[in-house]
C-alpha cells in the first residue's frame, strides 16, 4: 500500500513538471467508518470503544460528512483514502461510506480508495441492545 501511495505521489509530481500545473491531492487514512445502522450508541458500545483505539468511532458518520463538505469547498484534484475505511468490514458500513462519498464523485473529484486490514476478510460486528453480535465481513474475493 505504501508503495502504491508513493508511486501515485511520484507520478503526480512528475506530471506537475510536465504540464506546469499545481495539484492539490488530499490524503486521509484510517477513517474506521461505522454506520449507525449496525451500531446503537448505548452504554455497552461506549465501553467497547473506550477500551479500543477508536475513541470517536460513534462520530465517524458525522466526521466523514464534515470531511466531504470540506473537500467540496476545497475542490482538490484528487483524494486518496487509504487503509481501514470501515471499523470492521461490515457490508452496511461500506455501503453507507459509499453514499457519504458520492457527492465527491458527482463533483468530479477523483477518489482513490485503498482498503486496509479492517475492511475485509475479518470479523464484523453489530452493536445493538447493549450487546455485540458477530456478522459476516465482506471478502476480498
Amino acid at each position: 500500500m505504501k508503495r502504491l501511495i508513493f508511486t501515485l505521489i511520484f507520478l503526480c509530481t512528475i506530471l506537475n513538471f510536465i504540464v506546469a500545473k499545481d495539484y492539490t491531492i488530499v490524503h486521509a487514512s484510517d477513517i474506521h467508518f461505522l454506520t449507525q445502522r449496525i451500531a446503537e450508541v448505548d452504554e455497552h458500545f461506549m465501553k467497547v470503544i473506550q477500551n479500543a483505539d477508536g475513541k470517536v468511532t460513534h462520530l465517524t458518520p458525522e466526521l466523514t460528512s464534515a470531511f466531504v463538505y470540506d473537500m467540496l469547498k476545497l475542490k482538490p484534484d484528487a483524494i486518496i483514502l487509504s487503509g481501514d475505511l470501515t471499523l470492521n468490514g461490515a457490508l452496511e458500513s461500506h455501503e453507507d461510506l459509499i453514499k457519504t462519498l458520492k457527492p465527491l464523485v458527482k463533483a468530479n473529484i477523483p477518489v482513490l480508495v485503498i482498503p486496509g486490514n479492517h475492511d475485509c476478510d475479518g470479523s464484523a460486528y453489530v452493536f445493538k441492545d447493549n450487546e455485540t453480535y458477530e456478522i459476516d465481513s465482506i471478502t476480498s474475493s
Side-chain angles (χ1 to χ4, degrees), residues 30-137:
D30 294 275
I31 299 169
H32 290 276
F33 187 90
L34 178 64
T35 181
Q36 295 170 340
R37 288 195 288 156
I38 61 170
E40 288 178 355
V41 180
D42 54 25
E43 185 178 331
H44 170 72
F45 178 75
M46 293 306 292
K47 190 178 286 186
V48 168
I49 66 169
Q50 289 304 313
N51 292 318
D53 291 337
K55 304 289 191 263
V56 295
T57 300
H58 61 295
L59 300 175
T60 56
E62 291 86 356
L63 292 170
T64 306
S65 291
F67 173 78
V68 168
Y69 176 80
D70 287 347
M71 293 304 99
L72 289 171
K73 288 191 334 189
L74 179 64
K75 295 183 171 76
D77 294 292
I79 298 171
I80 300 170
L81 299 177
S82 64
D84 299 345
L85 306 166
T86 64
L87 178 67
N88 56 28
L91 176 63
E92 294 87 348
S93 289
H94 283 281
E95 290 171 340
D96 287 356
L97 178 59
I98 290 167
K99 288 178 190 173
T100 303
L101 298 174
K102 188 71 88 179
L104 298 171
V105 176
K106 287 183 178 179
N108 294 317
I109 300 171
V111 180
L112 173 64
V113 178
I114 305 166
N117 64 312
H118 284 222
D119 296 317
C120 54
D121 299 326
S123 297
Y125 300 95
V126 172
F127 304 93
K128 296 239 181 196
D129 303 321
N130 278 309
E131 294 200 29
T132 303
Y133 306 97
E134 188 169 355
I135 59 173
D136 290 334
S137 171

